[in-house]
Amino acid sequence: MNPIPIVKELVFAGGGHTHALVLRKWAMKPVPGVRVTVINPGATAPYSGMLPGHLAGHYAREDLDIDLVRLARFAGARLLIDRAVAIDAGAKVVRLASGRAVPYDIMSLDVGITSEMPSLPGFAERGIAAKPLGKFADIWAATCAGEGAITIAVIGGGVAGCEVAMAAVHRMRVLGREVSVSVIDRGEVLSSVVPSARKTLLAALADHDVRLVEGTAIASVEDAAVVLEDGRRIASDLTIGTAGATPQPWVAESGLPCKDGFLEVDEYLRSPADPTIYGAGDCVHLVHDPRPKAGVYAVRAAPVLAHNIRADLLGLQRKAFHPQKDFLKLVSLGGQVALAEKSGFALSGPVMWKLKNRIDQKFMDKFRHLPDMPVPTAPRGAAKGVAAEMAGPALCGGCGAKLASGALSGVLAQAHGASRDDVSAVAGDDAAVLHMGGARQVISTDHLRGFALDPALVAKAAAVHALGDIWAMGAAPQAALAQVILPRMAARLQGKWLDEVMQAAGEIFAAEGVAIVGGHSSGGTELTVGFTVTGLLQRDPITLEGAKPGDALVLTKPIGTGVVLAAEMQTKAHGEDVLACWKAMTRPSGEVARALAPLAHAMTDVTGFGLAGHLGNICAASSVGADIVLDAVPLLAGAHPLAAQGIRSSLWAQNRASILCEVPDTPLADLMFDPQTAGGLLAAMPAKQADAIPGAIRIGEITDRPGLRFS
């Protein structure tokens, strides 16, 4: 079956509420032929409606986070952990803080707002904005972990500022700490709230002993005080900014029509100046029906935005967005009590908190409990056995897609080719030494099936992965040839995709002094990136054969990439754990390899056959055994709990069957057979020097007893 060609690029800049809901709808009914890209500074997007409850201690931090890694995988989208900083509408690219330029045919902005106050002297250095939430939540957690009395000043007397103030008082009281909170406003606190609700809110603030400072502007923020223009000083150990909604400055600098820095959009949520650019949430101004900044409008806009983007891609009729004039407003009052207001009528009490909590939890459940996607079925008339093969676990990417050692060993043993005196194959290594006069050169090759939907990420990991054998043999990396297979796509996109791959790989190779000298590209069914690399030897190569009894075994990277990548494919991994895994995979081993090379008796890189498989190769080649202390083996975040859930890479079972050894029946022991992608180096070296190598962790020792033992 021919794959559907990619013909359009759809980019979502920002992971706000609207985009999160649109991505969920896209997952249920995607438009074939479109690559979707999501750009966000972090792995999660916080749901602001639950912020006061989090500050008050009613919700844990993770309770209000939408996991964008899981959501992007569910939607079949690539996630770029980066920040949009500019739009070049003429070139149709969005520029990122990292320097990347991401092309688009259709783009949507949902980048939110900030409570930063750059014009207020001292705030940037000594204050903290309530939005964006991530940094604020981290500082609040550190504040709650402290001891003793604390004074807090909240700048901004709107509903958000008063919610923050009451939540802070409640939390500190629960923690048994003395607290004093002031709310500062240049006008009147809660001036925009209807009278019935304002009366209740003012009473709640009084019950929390919140001091109201009204009718004066702020001159500056100091280390322990907020200085007012009338000369008064308001004591403050923690100054929180909630005043107003400040747009991201780069949006106004894009050249697109803006209102006070907010992107103007029409009734279809499109920029009036550019029909390929959409926007939603707090970062936009609705030209046809201006509305205040409120999450309810972001949520209600999602179905319209999803429909209109789909309509543009398919050539259908768009829908207009008509925001409601009034809506139910639910305000937290510190404890598990809330105020509900609509059409001028207000009620408060625990029942209103339960209502607010139910609405908030229902919203978050849309992302916590993503539905299972149907397993592909065999086409009618398929050969016997096709259905069973398709019903099995999906093939992993990275080294989880390798053939097992058992499938390779017999074939490779017979595939010698010609015999040459100037070529020395290295037993057990995927490399050879080439002799040219007095010079010796190592050559190796490797490639990866795409483990993620971002070609640049795959390319970086593939470059690190390919260099593994060069580093392991003690050679200095020299040159690289690329082999890139791109999925089927429109010809106009091929150069852009290939540029993404080569730019990313070039960052890794340039840092290691490697010249990219050419390569080969072709089209296929899916992304595959590989490199043939060479390295220069100034010494005898380090192989698998030199390990000696008494040697210490050291490992230079944590293991667990196989299980984390498998879980990410199944939308079962935590986003932060996936990011940590990607970071480890794209971290070069050159520095630690150069430290190990003069000392290592035997060394290999840990890749597809897992730690146990590659250690077994060292032991077999060196005629020794090994003892491994399981608790000493470093693990990637999330790897152990995922293994405990029974999640395995598709190569795990074959790796386990290929090693004949006694292993405890535990998730930790199972990870010894987890296939690694761009894994670390495993070296046998003198025990006295094993603790002197930065980045190398001792995990066991070489013995004179054959076999592997795990304890």
Side-chain angles (χ1 to χ4, degrees):
M1 182 183 298
N2 290 328
I4 297 172
I6 299 168
V7 297
K8 295 288 186 181
E9 298 273 13
L10 170 60
V11 174
F12 294 101
H17 305 352
T18 309
H19 280 175
L21 289 166
V22 171
L23 285 166
R24 194 180 187 279
K25 289 181 70 70
W26 181 276
M28 309 308 292
K29 194 176 181 181
V31 177
V34 179
R35 177 171 74 159
V36 181
T37 298
V38 182
I39 303 164
N40 197 69
T44 60
Y47 173 50
S48 57
M50 295 172 74
L51 171 60
H54 168 64
L55 300 180
H58 308 316
Y59 304 121
R61 177 71 172 88
E62 58 269 19
D63 291 337
L64 59 156
D65 276 342
I66 299 170
D67 192 322
L68 293 179
V69 176
R70 292 183 64 239
L71 182 60
R73 172 59 77 170
F74 179 66
R78 67 166 176 166
L79 175 63
L80 305 184
I81 303 300
D82 212 327
R83 184 168 54 86
V85 296
I87 300 170
D88 186 338
K92 285 198 172 304
V93 297
V94 54
R95 303 195 185 281
L96 310 185
S98 65
R100 291 180 70 172
V102 179
Y104 67 86
D105 294 295
I106 297 175
M107 184 182 68
S108 179
L109 266 65
D110 186 11
V111 294
I113 56 177
T114 177
S115 303
E116 296 284 358
M117 291 177 264
S119 62
L120 177 58
F123 183 82
E125 298 80 15
R126 304 176 187 92
I128 178 64
K131 289 187 177 183
L133 174 59
K135 183 179 178 182
F136 177 40
D138 291 341
I139 289 179
W140 181 246
T143 300
C144 293
E147 298 179 352
I150 184 171
T151 58
I152 299 172
V154 179
I155 300 175
V159 170
C162 293
E163 280 189 299
V164 167
M166 289 184 283
V169 171
H170 178 83
R171 183 67 177 278
M172 291 302 153
R173 286 177 175 175
V174 169
L175 294 173
R177 295 175 62 183
E178 183 180 341
V179 60
S180 174
V181 178
S182 301
V183 172
I184 307 169
D185 196 281
R186 68 168 55 242
E188 190 176 46
V189 169
L190 298 169
S191 59
S192 64
V193 178
V194 298
S196 59
R198 184 171 187 267
K199 180 179 179 181
T200 301
L201 287 171
L202 289 175
L205 288 166
D207 288 342
H208 286 78
D209 296 324
V210 174
R211 176 188 179 190
L212 304 184
V213 182
E214 301 174 294
T216 182
I218 298 172
S220 63
V221 176
E222 297 182 353
D223 285 334
V226 175
V227 181
L228 306 182
E229 286 188 348
D230 60 13
R232 285 181 292 167
R233 299 172 63 84
I234 307 299
S236 178
D237 301 313
L238 176 66
T239 301
I240 303 169
T242 67
T246 303
Q248 306 286 349
W250 64 268
V251 176
E253 296 166 1
S254 66
L256 297 167
C258 291
K259 170 70 172 177
D260 299 326
F262 298 95
L263 178 71
E264 290 187 354
V265 294
D266 61 17
E267 66 269 31
Y268 303 114
L269 301 175
R270 300 185 309 173
S271 168
D274 190 332
T276 67
I277 296 178
Y278 285 83
D282 288 346
C283 70
V284 305
H285 171 72
L286 300 173
V287 175
H288 68 293
D289 193 357
R291 297 281 93 197
K293 306 303 178 186
V296 65
Y297 298 119
V299 172
R300 296 290 177 87
V304 176
L305 179 62
H307 173 87
N308 289 348
I309 288 175
R310 186 179 186 86
D312 281 0
L313 292 167
L314 297 177
L316 302 178
Q317 185 67 39
R318 302 177 194 89
K319 292 181 179 179
F321 176 53
H322 300 293
Q324 69 270 44
K325 299 300 181 183
D326 192 20
F327 60 92
L328 177 65
K329 305 170 188 69
L330 292 162
V331 183
S332 295
L333 303 181
Q336 293 189 355
V337 180
L339 166 77
E341 183 273 318
K342 187 175 183 181
S343 302
F345 296 96
L347 292 172
S348 64
V351 173
M352 297 301 103
W353 163 264
K354 290 180 180 178
L355 174 63
K356 175 175 170 52
N357 179 62
R358 184 164 66 248
I359 292 172
D360 289 339
Q361 299 289 3
K362 183 178 179 181
F363 176 82
M364 288 302 297
D365 281 343
K366 294 177 183 291
F367 307 103
R368 294 171 183 153
H369 310 298
L370 298 173
D372 293 331
M373 301 304 287
V375 177
T377 57
R380 180 177 296 180
K384 185 178 180 180
V386 169
E389 191 68 24
M390 292 182 68
L395 182 65
C396 288
C399 265
K402 287 184 69 170
L403 299 182
S405 59
L408 293 172
S409 56
V411 174
L412 295 177
Q414 301 177 44
H416 293 299
S419 296
R420 296 183 61 98
D421 293 336
D422 56 356
V423 177
S424 302
V426 181
D429 280 312
D430 302 323
V433 178
L434 309 180
H435 303 266
M436 292 164 285
R440 288 177 297 178
Q441 186 182 52
V442 175
I443 186 169
S444 181
T445 190
D446 223 320
H447 71 263
L448 297 179
R449 175 179 181 260
F451 58 84
L453 300 175
D454 179 17
L457 173 63
V458 175
K460 285 186 177 182
V464 172
H465 188 72
L467 287 169
D469 284 315
I470 305 299
W471 288 319
M473 294 180 70
Q478 178 192 26
L481 288 161
Q483 300 97 41
V484 181
I485 300 175
L486 295 178
R488 188 179 178 190
M489 65 184 65
R492 69 181 181 87
L493 300 179
Q494 292 172 349
K496 296 176 182 178
W497 278 57
L498 191 59
D499 183 59
E500 283 189 41
V501 169
M502 297 311 299
Q503 288 284 349
E507 292 178 19
I508 299 294
F509 287 131
E512 293 296 316
V514 177
I516 300 176
V517 294
H520 181 76
S521 62
S522 65
T525 59
E526 61 181 359
L527 177 70
T528 302
V529 181
F531 299 95
T532 297
V533 289
T534 64
L536 293 175
L537 277 170
Q538 302 297 328
R539 46 156 297 154
D540 289 337
I542 306 169
T543 67
L544 304 178
E545 299 179 345
K548 303 174 183 178
D551 278 353
L553 284 166
V554 299
L555 182 65
T556 65
K557 280 187 183 181
I559 66 170
T561 64
V563 69
V564 173
L565 294 180
E568 189 270 335
M569 287 182 61
Q570 300 171 41
T571 68
K572 294 179 180 178
H574 292 300
E576 294 291 353
D577 295 342
V578 175
L579 295 195
C581 177
W582 289 349
K583 184 176 181 180
M585 291 165 58
T586 55
R587 186 176 72 245
S589 295
E591 184 176 350
V592 71
R594 287 184 284 274
L596 284 170
L599 304 171
H601 295 150
M603 188 154 61
T604 187
D605 57 333
V606 181
T607 54
F609 302 148
L611 178 62
H614 288 283
L615 177 56
N617 288 342
I618 287 179
C619 291
S622 301
S623 300
V624 294
D627 289 343
I628 297 296
V629 180
L630 288 171
D631 288 340
V633 178
L635 304 178
L636 286 169
H640 190 271
L642 290 171
Q645 295 175 38
I647 296 174
R648 302 286 183 272
S649 168
S650 53
L651 187 58
W652 182 90
Q654 296 177 78
N655 280 353
R656 178 64 188 92
S658 67
I659 303 293
L660 300 177
C661 62
E662 292 292 328
V663 183
D665 185 16
T666 65
L668 179 57
D670 287 346
L671 287 169
M672 302 304 108
F673 305 93
D674 186 59
Q676 303 304 291
T677 302
L681 301 173
L682 175 66
M685 61 180 296
K688 291 182 179 180
Q689 298 165 303
D691 297 325
I693 306 296
I697 298 174
R698 188 194 295 242
I699 63 169
E701 66 177 358
I702 297 295
T703 71
D704 56 6
R705 293 180 299 158
L708 305 183
R709 288 163 295 279
F710 299 88
S711 60

